């Protein structure tokens, strides 16, 4: 309520209180003088104690009329003697009349009914109840005397007119109008901001229960800020602001429903599958993927980039640099990586090309190594590129003006086998490289430092997170008695070993720490098992799955499922809690790449043989058969398969159509239609 409106409301209310007080004083004076006939029902319907005075005088006069009708002079004389006498102030001395208030000073300042209303609001109700009960008892006794004298009188006295108390105190009315500013918490009232601080520690179920307590709690429990924080805490719409949604409670509900549908589609393999095939007759060499991009390199030297959100075929072919344009035949692609900013490939002759995923098809940077590049690494974001060729490690990054410069160039004692860039790192990039038994940390403009080194225990696999590095260590010779091969987890900040897990007889072939949930690590081993470790517990795995009989080549996990690939070509999806296989897909080549996001899964079966011959040994045609090329599969589980557009027309046909019957597919028709077709034939 604004200041002007509140001031006008106060003035109007004071005038109403003053007018009511004057009418009450006039009514009391007229009653004491016997002029009660001037007061009608409309003037006295809202005055409880004025009605009591009126009824008292009316009963006295009725009693006099009854005495005169019986001719009892003695009774009349006695009644006249006992008639009330007026005092000097004009008030009656009748004990049935209303006595003046004890507090004379308070009665002069405000009307009596206002003080009574204050007593009611303050909780002092006992004296008022006693007065009302005494007056009712006296009136009843007087009425019984009158009815006993004259049994023929059937007229009943009019009951007192009681009214519902209206809000007369201005402060209490304003408090009721602004009751949302003070939230009742049982026996205390808290400001809205303080109550909101308490409610922010509640979850979805607790807020729903609190909304059923009262209207004030319902308003507080449905505050947009509370549901916005819950939405961010559960991982939905990260980076959004409060003003991005008009109802965050409904947004959170929609996100949870979508997640439930996606989980159902994942478990039942419901969705759309696409085969990303580009170079016919050429063999797939390497595949990389990020959240929305997939890059592939072929034996012909061509590089293909897919944008899974837009499928822009015009921007999918990446042209090589001018250095290799005149070379025939062009060298094979050895490494291919992509993130949200750049895509990088390395060739067999040591050339490295870098493209932007947004600007176009021409390379934005390229450089040359003296020998074959064994590893290419990109960060989760940014344009830094790290490459390893033999014992040389190089890290390039663009500066503010758009020029590229080499931040790190180091020569390691042994050839590099694995190379990674620490994701989500502020400032200069940090590279982690494994060479033999040693793992090195390479910082910009600094000499390499050793993170791990144990003589005779080579590192078989490596993965990093923003704060940790996990590496599989092979135990050889005398160390086999210590429990077998292990996974060592180091802190990148302190350089100290934090935990050691795993006691396996086989070598660890792959480990995934970057994409795993917090405190979890998933690994694959040559002993055909996929293991999930909790880094907060001991060395025993929380899940151990017998997955692939030719060894595990790629793994990834989230909070409820595991996706693994093996050397025999199987891609398996597991339910982590139950340890059960949900479904699998097979291809003849080993699975070299597995990566899934919220609703998509990218798998790549890359053949080991890069130069296969035709069906005949004497055939000189170097064009590879389809079974030798390899395949890239994209699964989209967010597609609504219930829509008619996602069902092939041939699958909607019946068995009466020859075109549908000739295909070896499962047709979408009821089984009773099949039985009728067989009976008719």
């Amino acid at each position: 309520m604004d200041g002007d409106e509140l001031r006008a409301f106060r003035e109007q209310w004071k005038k109403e209180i003053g007018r009511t007080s004057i009418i009450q004083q006039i009514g009391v004076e007229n009653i004491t003088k016997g002029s009660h006939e001037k007061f009608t029902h409309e003037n006295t319907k809202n005055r409880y104690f004025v009605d009591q005075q009126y009824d008292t005088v009316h009963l006295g006069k009725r009693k006099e009329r009854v005495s005169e009708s019986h001719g009892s002079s003695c009774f009349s004389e006695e009644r006249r003697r006992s008639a009330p006498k007026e005092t000097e102030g004009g008030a009656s001395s009748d004990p049935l009349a209303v006595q003046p208030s004890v507090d004379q000073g308070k009665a002069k300042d405000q009307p009596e009914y206002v003080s009574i209303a204050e007593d009611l609001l303050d909780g002092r109700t006992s004296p008022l109840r006693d007065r009302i009960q005494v007056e009712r008892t006296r009136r009843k006794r007087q009425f019984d005397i009158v009815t006993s004298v004259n049994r023929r009188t059937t007229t009943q006295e009019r009951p007192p007119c009681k009214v519902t108390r209206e809000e007369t105190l201005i402060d209490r009315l304003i408090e009721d109008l602004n009751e949302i500013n003070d939230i009742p918490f049982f026996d205390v009232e808290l400001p809205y901001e303080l109550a909101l601080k308490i409610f922010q520690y509640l979850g979805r179920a607790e807020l729903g229960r609190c909304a059923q307590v009262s209207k004030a709690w319902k308003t507080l429990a449905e505050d947009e800020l509370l549901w916005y924080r819950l939405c961010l805490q559960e991982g939905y719409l990260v980076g959004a602001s409060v003003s991005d949604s008009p109802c965050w409670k409904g947004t959170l509900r929609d996100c949870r429903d979508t997640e439930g549908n996606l989980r159902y589609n994942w478990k039942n393999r419901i969705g759309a599958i696409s085969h990303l095939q580009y170079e016919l007759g050429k063999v797939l060499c390497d595949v990389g993927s990020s959240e929305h991009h997939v890059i592939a390199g072929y034996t012909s030297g061509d590089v293909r980039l897919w944008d899974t959100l837009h499928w822009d075929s015009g921007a999918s072919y990446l042209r090589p640099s001018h250095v290799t344009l005149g070379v025939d035949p062009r060298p094979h692609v050895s490494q291919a990586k992509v993130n949200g900013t750049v895509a990088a490939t390395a060739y067999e002759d040591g050339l490295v090309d870098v493209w932007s995923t947004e600007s176009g098809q021409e390379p934005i940077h390229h450089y040359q190594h003296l020998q074959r590049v064994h590893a290419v690494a990109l960060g989760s974001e940014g344009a830094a590129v790290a490459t390893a060729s033999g014992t040389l490690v190089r890290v390039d990054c663009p500066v503010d003006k758009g020029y590229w410069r080499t931040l790190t160039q180091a020569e390691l004692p042994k050839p590099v086998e694995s190379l990674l860039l620490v994701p989500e790192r502020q400032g200069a990039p940090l590279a982690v490289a494994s060479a033999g038994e040693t793992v090195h940390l390479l910082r910009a403009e600094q000499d390499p430092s050793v993170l791990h080194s144990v003589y005779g225990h080579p590192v078989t696999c490596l993965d990093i997170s923003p704060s940790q590095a996990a590496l599989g260590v092979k135990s050889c010779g005398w160390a086999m008695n210590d429990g077998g091969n292990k996974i060592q987890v180091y802190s990148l900040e302190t350089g100290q070993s934090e935990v050691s897990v795993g006691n396996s007889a086989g070598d660890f072939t792959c480990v995934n720490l970057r994409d795993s949930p917090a405190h979890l690590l998933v690994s694959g081993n040559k002993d055909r098992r996929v293991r999930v470790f909790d880094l907060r517990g001991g060395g025993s795995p929380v899940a151990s799955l017998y997955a692939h009989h030719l060894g595990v080549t790629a793994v990834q996990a989230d909070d409820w499922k595991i996706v693994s690939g093996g050397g025999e070509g199987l891609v398996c999806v597991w339910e982590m809690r139950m340890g059960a296989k949900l479904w699998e897909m097979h291809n003849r080549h080993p699975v070299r790449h597995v990566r899934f996001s919220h609703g998509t899964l990218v798998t790549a079966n890359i053949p080991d043989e890069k130069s296969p011959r035709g069906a005949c040994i004497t055939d000189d045609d170097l064009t590879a058969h389809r079974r030798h090329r390899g395949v890239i599969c994209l699964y989209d589980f967010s597609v609504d398969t219930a829509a008619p557009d996602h069902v092939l027309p041939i699958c909607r046909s019946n068995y009466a159509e020859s075109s549908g019957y000739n295909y070896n597919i499962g047709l979408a028709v009821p089984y009773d239609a099949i039985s009728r077709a067989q009976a008719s034939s």
Side-chain angles (χ1 to χ4, degrees):
M1 183 177 292
D2 298 338
D4 297 338
E5 296 180 359
L6 180 60
R7 192 178 301 106
F9 172 77
R10 288 177 179 272
E11 296 296 333
Q12 183 180 0
W13 200 264
K14 291 179 180 179
K15 292 179 181 179
E16 183 178 353
I17 291 177
R19 185 169 57 254
T20 306
S21 176
I22 294 173
I23 294 175
Q24 184 192 21
Q25 294 177 2
I26 296 174
V28 172
E29 293 177 358
N30 291 335
I31 290 175
T32 54
K33 293 179 181 180
S35 301
H36 59 275
E37 292 84 3
K38 297 182 180 180
F39 287 87
T40 61
H41 178 67
E42 295 296 330
N43 292 333
T44 59
K45 63 179 181 179
N46 294 328
R47 299 170 180 82
Y48 177 75
F49 293 101
V50 175
D51 289 340
Q52 286 186 342
Q53 295 173 347
Y54 174 81
D55 293 338
T56 303
V57 178
H58 185 67
L59 285 175
K61 291 184 176 293
R62 181 185 298 177
K63 187 173 181 181
E64 291 180 0
R65 290 197 300 268
V66 171
S67 301
E68 292 177 358
S69 63
H70 285 77
S72 177
S73 59
C74 296
F75 184 80
S76 301
E77 183 66 18
E78 185 66 20
R79 178 63 179 145
R80 285 193 297 270
R81 292 177 181 177
S82 61
K85 299 181 181 180
E86 296 182 356
T87 59
E88 296 179 359
S92 176
S93 61
D94 191 352
L96 296 178
V98 178
Q99 300 297 328
S101 176
V102 178
D103 191 356
Q104 297 295 335
K106 186 176 181 180
K108 293 180 180 180
D109 295 338
Q110 60 184 2
E112 183 179 6
Y113 77 94
V114 176
S115 61
I116 294 174
E118 290 180 348
D119 294 340
L120 288 174
L121 293 175
D122 293 338
R124 298 189 296 271
T125 58
S126 298
L128 181 62
R129 291 179 179 176
D130 296 339
R131 292 179 57 185
I132 294 175
Q133 188 65 29
V134 170
E135 295 298 332
R136 288 179 178 175
T137 304
R138 290 180 180 180
R139 290 173 57 190
K140 184 177 180 182
R141 184 170 60 250
Q142 188 69 23
F143 180 75
D144 293 340
I145 295 174
V146 175
T147 53
S148 62
V149 175
N150 188 5
R151 297 292 182 180
R152 292 174 297 177
T153 304
T154 58
T155 305
Q156 298 180 358
E157 68 174 299
R158 182 176 57 86
C161 181
K162 300 181 181 180
V163 298
T164 303
R165 177 185 58 83
E166 298 181 355
E167 292 290 344
T168 58
L169 299 180
I170 299 175
D171 296 335
R172 178 56 60 93
L173 178 59
I174 297 173
E175 183 180 357
D176 292 340
L177 292 176
N178 298 331
E179 63 180 359
I180 196 62
N181 294 330
D182 293 330
I183 305 299
F185 271 78
F186 304 106
D187 55 345
V188 296
E189 291 185 353
L190 299 179
Y192 187 87
E193 293 77 7
L194 184 58
L196 193 64
K197 288 287 186 181
I198 298 175
F199 272 52
Q200 71 179 0
Y201 296 100
L202 303 180
R204 301 185 311 272
E206 289 81 2
L207 289 178
R209 296 189 185 102
C210 292
Q212 303 177 17
V213 174
S214 63
K215 291 183 178 180
W217 281 41
K218 178 179 176 62
T219 303
L220 183 63
E222 294 183 352
D223 189 86
E224 294 297 326
L225 185 59
L226 295 177
W227 292 99
Y228 166 73
R229 291 176 177 175
L230 283 177
C231 196
L232 296 185
Q233 290 175 4
E234 298 192 13
Y236 304 120
L237 303 178
V238 179
S241 60
V242 184
S243 60
D244 291 342
S245 176
C247 180
W248 280 102
K249 182 178 180 181
T251 302
L252 179 59
R253 180 177 60 251
D254 296 340
C255 292
R256 289 184 59 84
D257 292 342
T258 303
E259 183 183 6
N261 295 333
L262 279 176
R263 179 172 296 192
Y264 178 81
N265 294 343
W266 266 99
K267 291 183 177 180
N268 296 276
R269 200 174 63 179
I270 299 175
I273 179 173
S274 303
H275 295 278
L276 307 183
Q277 186 176 1
Y278 167 66
E279 188 67 21
L280 298 178
K282 301 302 179 181
V283 179
L284 185 64
C285 292
D286 194 28
V287 175
S289 65
S290 63
E291 186 175 0
H292 302 305
H293 296 88
V294 180
I295 188 173
Y298 297 87
T299 55
S300 61
D302 293 331
V303 180
R304 178 71 184 266
L305 179 66
W306 290 274
D307 187 350
T308 59
L309 288 181
H310 304 94
W311 295 102
D312 188 0
S313 59
S316 60
Y317 177 71
L318 301 182
R319 298 174 183 174
S321 60
H322 64 279
V323 179
T324 59
L325 289 178
V327 179
D328 191 23
R330 294 169 57 188
H332 297 178
V333 177
S334 60
Q335 297 287 328
K337 302 296 179 183
V338 66
N339 61 10
T341 306
V342 296
T345 59
Y347 298 89
E348 293 287 342
D349 59 351
L351 180 65
V352 178
D353 286 337
V354 181
W355 295 270
S356 173
T357 58
E358 300 178 356
S359 62
Q361 303 175 3
E362 299 294 334
I364 59 176
H365 181 58
H366 68 91
Y367 55 92
Q368 180 77 45
H369 282 280
L370 298 179
Q371 53 183 329
R372 183 179 185 270
V373 177
H374 296 278
V376 175
L378 301 177
S380 58
E381 57 185 13
V385 179
T387 56
S389 175
T391 59
L392 180 64
V393 178
R394 177 175 175 175
V395 180
D396 288 22
C397 185
V399 296
D400 296 337
K401 296 182 179 180
Y403 298 101
W404 287 73
R405 60 184 295 262
T406 302
L407 299 180
T408 303
Q409 189 169 355
E411 192 80 22
L412 301 181
K414 294 183 178 181
V416 177
E417 299 174 357
S418 300
L419 178 64
L420 295 172
L421 285 178
V422 178
E424 302 177 5
R425 178 176 175 84
Q426 302 295 333
L430 173 63
V432 181
S434 65
E437 310 98 2
T438 309
V439 177
H440 302 271
L441 296 179
L442 294 91
R443 295 181 174 86
E445 300 177 356
Q446 294 183 13
D447 295 335
S449 60
V450 177
L451 179 66
H452 167 83
S453 181
V454 178
Y455 179 76
H457 294 68
V459 177
T460 58
C461 56
L462 174 67
D463 194 33
I464 56 176
S465 68
S467 60
Q468 293 176 323
L471 44 122
V473 180
K474 182 178 180 179
S475 299
C476 302
W478 54 269
M480 291 295 294
N481 298 326
D482 295 340
N485 303 311
K486 297 179 182 296
I487 296 178
Q488 302 287 342
V489 180
Y490 285 84
S491 173
L492 295 178
E493 297 180 359
T494 62
Q496 302 295 323
S497 177
E498 294 185 344
V499 64
S500 177
V501 297
N503 294 308
S504 174
D507 299 341
F508 286 99
T509 56
C510 54
V511 60
N512 193 313
L513 179 64
R514 178 183 306 189
D515 303 318
S516 300
H519 309 295
L520 289 183
L521 180 146
V522 58
S523 64
N525 200 287
K526 281 187 177 180
D527 63 358
R528 312 170 185 176
R529 287 191 172 273
V530 174
R531 294 177 174 87
V532 180
F533 298 95
D534 189 348
L535 301 181
R536 297 168 297 182
S540 59
V542 297
S544 180
L545 310 172
Y546 184 86
H548 306 277
H549 64 273
L550 291 183
V552 185
T553 57
V555 290
Q556 186 181 347
D558 61 5
D559 55 349
W560 71 272
K561 65 178 178 293
I562 305 171
V563 180
S564 63
E568 76 286 352
L570 275 178
V571 175
C572 301
V573 179
W574 308 80
E575 209 279 340
M576 184 185 299
R577 185 176 63 89
M578 300 297 295
K581 184 186 294 185
L582 299 176
W583 52 272
E584 64 182 21
M585 293 292 290
H586 179 263
N587 192 277
R588 64 175 64 244
H589 303 293
V591 180
R592 300 298 182 186
H593 179 81
V594 167
R595 182 179 178 85
F596 65 83
S597 59
H598 189 61
T600 59
L601 169 65
V602 178
T603 63
N605 297 80
I606 302 175
D608 294 331
E609 180 62 37
K610 297 299 189 292
S611 300
R613 288 285 180 172
C616 181
I617 193 172
T618 61
D619 190 1
D620 293 333
D621 185 10
L622 300 180
T623 301
H625 192 270
R626 182 177 180 180
R627 60 176 176 267
H628 301 303
R629 298 173 191 166
V631 62
I632 306 172
C633 295
L634 172 64
Y635 301 86
D636 189 0
F637 298 99
S638 61
V639 175
D640 186 8
T641 57
D645 296 339
H646 296 283
V647 180
L648 295 176
I650 191 173
C651 296
R652 296 196 296 268
S653 62
N654 52 33
Y655 282 93
E657 301 178 8
S658 59
S659 60
Y661 181 75
N662 292 333
Y663 284 86
N664 186 17
I665 58 176
L667 301 180
V669 296
Y671 287 103
D672 54 353
I674 301 176
S675 61
R676 287 197 300 268
Q678 293 177 352
S680 61
S681 61

